[in-house]
Amino acid sequence: MLTPRRATRQVALRGASDTVLVGGGAPVSVQSMTITKTADVDATLAQIYALAAAGADIVRCTCNEPEAAEGLAAIVPRSPVPIVADIHFQYKLALAALDAGVACLRLNPGNIRKPAQIKLVAEEAKARGVPIRIGVNAGSLDPDLYTKYGAATAEALVESAQRELAYFEEVDFHDVKISVKASNVPLMIEAYRQLAEVTDHPLHLGVTEAGPPPAGLLKATAGIATLLAEGIGDTIRYSLTADPVEEARAGRQLLEALGLRDRKTVDLIACPSCGRAEVDVIAVAKEAEAALSERQLPIQVAVMGCVVNGPGEARTADLGIAAGNGKGHLFVKGQMIRVVPEADMVAALVEEAERLVAEGAEARIAAADVGAVEEAERDRLALLAEQGDDPNAVGQRVELIRKELT
Ligand code: SF4
């Protein structure tokens, strides 16, 4: 079981077609960021739609120049998800993004440091009901905090966030979420743990500059999942050096895997393969994943290498297929329903997944091919006869070992 979610305040990101709540018991949300020029409205909107389809609830766009702010004015009303403007260095671009109608600002305390400017932005955000994320980053920490702590320590990251928060509180602005990102995973985890002790603002989790997959995925997951399991974190972003669609998909998959969001996409499980495998499990699983991930099918699907053990090992899956004797044996909730030629395994699996979601498990079991159970059992027994129920010849090996040792 995961630790219960930490109690926090709640902020609301009001988009043109949807409001996303962050913190205060709201579902953990997924964020990603566009990599197009924000001034290129059509390209940016196309990417926002792709990110939303892959699982992003919130999308951030850079607002790094006046043309970007103007682009945001055209993007915001057409976006399917709330838009956050990413601001560095220039507080005037934060004010311009507010004028463009964004749902949230991200400010980096490390590069907008004049208190009067920070407070002015907070006052303008407050007047519009727009929240701000204080986005502290170990790589761009306020220089005087480097001097004070000698490095970007967890304490330094937390103090940077608290300092910014104090400016906001001076102007009675509290609609704030906070991130303290680092590319070093243990540092990031420690900074968020310390921050969670000293504030009740919702937290945006991320391992910054995690790098390209698969290492980047592993680093981001190590940091984000550790904190989520401790009940810390209200919105997440994978910062990958990859197509941002991968970020959105990874974020959604992590939350589904942890049970923090309802399943929207297929959970593909597959056996690791072994000497009993009757098919190239890796290739079939990859093919099935590619075909199923294009569809919104909220079920668990198993690809198993042999009919001897596969249906039993994957009996808790909603749907599965096990290879054997040149055939694919389809089963629903562990019950055999159809046998198809091996070449049709993936196509049959996809077709059955769609029918299962549309009709339900009971209907698919009721519609099972009456001969399938007998045929699958014949295939299982044929393979057992061929391979035996002891493919590693344990009995003979033990005899051999005993001989060697006597
Ligand atoms: S399902 Fe069959 S092939 Fe896959 S790991 Fe189990 S015994 Fe091996």
Side-chain angles (χ1 to χ4, degrees):
M1 297 295 285
L2 307 184
T3 303
R5 305 265 313 281
R6 161 182 163 267
T8 73
R9 297 166 188 248
Q10 188 170 77
V11 300
L13 277 68
R14 296 176 186 83
S17 55
D18 200 10
T19 293
V20 175
L21 302 175
V22 178
V28 180
S29 48
V30 175
Q31 306 209 14
S32 185
M33 188 166 177
T34 51
I35 58 172
T36 50
K37 297 283 180 206
T38 309
D40 186 343
V41 172
D42 288 342
T44 304
L45 272 169
Q47 196 160 67
I48 292 168
Y49 271 87
L51 293 172
D57 303 295
I58 298 165
V59 172
R60 182 159 44 119
C61 304
T62 187
C63 184
N64 59 335
E65 56 186 2
E67 293 78 9
E70 288 173 23
L72 284 171
I75 289 164
V76 164
R78 292 161 64 191
S79 169
V81 293
I83 297 296
V84 181
D86 196 50
I87 310 292
H88 292 265
F89 299 102
Q90 300 181 59
Y91 80 101
K92 283 195 175 169
L93 286 174
L95 300 177
L98 289 172
D99 288 340
V102 296
C104 182
L105 295 176
R106 179 270 168 131
L107 299 186
N108 183 339
N111 57 39
I112 301 179
R113 290 199 291 276
K114 290 195 175 139
Q117 294 176 354
I118 296 166
K119 287 189 227 173
L120 176 61
V121 172
E123 281 173 333
E124 290 298 323
K126 184 182 172 193
R128 292 165 165 86
V130 171
I132 296 179
R133 169 160 68 96
I134 298 174
V136 178
N137 191 315
S140 55
L141 190 65
D142 198 331
D144 71 326
L145 287 169
Y146 268 116
T147 309
K148 178 176 173 184
Y149 289 95
T153 61
E155 290 76 11
L157 299 180
V158 171
E159 185 170 333
S160 174
Q162 286 182 299
R163 194 187 273 182
E164 188 89 343
L165 198 54
Y167 293 137
F168 289 170
E169 282 167 356
E170 279 181 43
V171 293
D172 198 27
F173 179 70
H174 307 282
D175 250 0
V176 177
K177 49 197 171 84
I178 309 177
S179 61
V180 280
K181 298 187 185 181
S183 56
N184 177 300
V185 176
L187 170 62
M188 168 267 186
I189 291 172
E190 180 57 22
Y192 277 103
R193 282 178 179 158
Q194 289 188 16
L195 187 62
E197 292 290 318
V198 297
T199 181
D200 65 352
H201 286 278
L203 302 185
H204 165 126
L205 304 184
V207 173
T208 193
E209 295 130 19
L217 273 171
L218 290 170
K219 280 189 266 179
T221 303
I224 295 170
T226 299
L227 290 161
L228 288 174
E230 295 174 6
I232 297 171
D234 305 283
T235 183
I236 65 170
R237 184 208 171 183
Y238 274 69
S239 300
L240 300 177
T241 312
D243 184 332
V245 164
E246 277 199 57
E247 297 187 354
R249 194 174 287 139
R252 180 76 203 190
Q253 285 175 340
L254 176 67
L255 296 182
E256 290 181 1
L258 288 171
L260 290 169
R261 293 291 292 269
D262 290 339
R263 182 155 292 291
K264 213 164 81 174
T265 53
V266 160
D267 177 20
L268 186 83
I269 63 171
C271 78
S273 189
C274 74
R276 279 197 188 276
E278 287 282 301
V279 75
D280 182 346
V281 182
I282 299 169
V284 173
K286 270 194 181 160
E287 202 187 323
E289 185 177 43
L292 291 166
S293 68
E294 290 169 2
R295 296 159 168 85
Q296 301 257 315
L297 299 167
I299 54 173
Q300 189 178 61
V301 176
V303 172
M304 308 302 281
C306 75
V307 73
V308 175
N309 289 336
E313 286 177 11
R315 72 169 66 85
T316 56
D318 297 299
L319 169 68
I321 196 156
N325 255 357
K327 302 172 208 164
H329 305 78
L330 278 158
F331 52 93
V332 169
K333 304 273 184 198
Q335 297 202 42
M336 210 52 73
I337 59 159
R338 262 168 83 195
V339 179
V340 299
E342 188 179 295
D344 299 341
M345 275 178 77
V346 173
L349 191 67
V350 172
E351 182 203 328
E352 194 53 49
E354 286 178 329
R355 297 188 75 166
L356 181 59
V357 169
E359 300 169 27
E362 275 184 27
R364 293 312 300 150
I365 291 169
D369 174 354
V370 282
V373 179
E374 288 85 359
E375 188 173 353
E377 185 57 10
R378 277 197 303 276
D379 290 335
R380 192 180 77 81
L381 292 173
L383 286 169
L384 266 179
E386 192 183 298
Q387 301 176 346
D389 57 5
D390 181 8
N392 200 33
V394 174
Q396 286 171 31
R397 287 174 191 276
V398 168
E399 291 260 312
L400 196 63
I401 291 165
R402 285 181 183 159
K403 262 191 213 155
E404 301 276 2
L405 295 178
T406 51

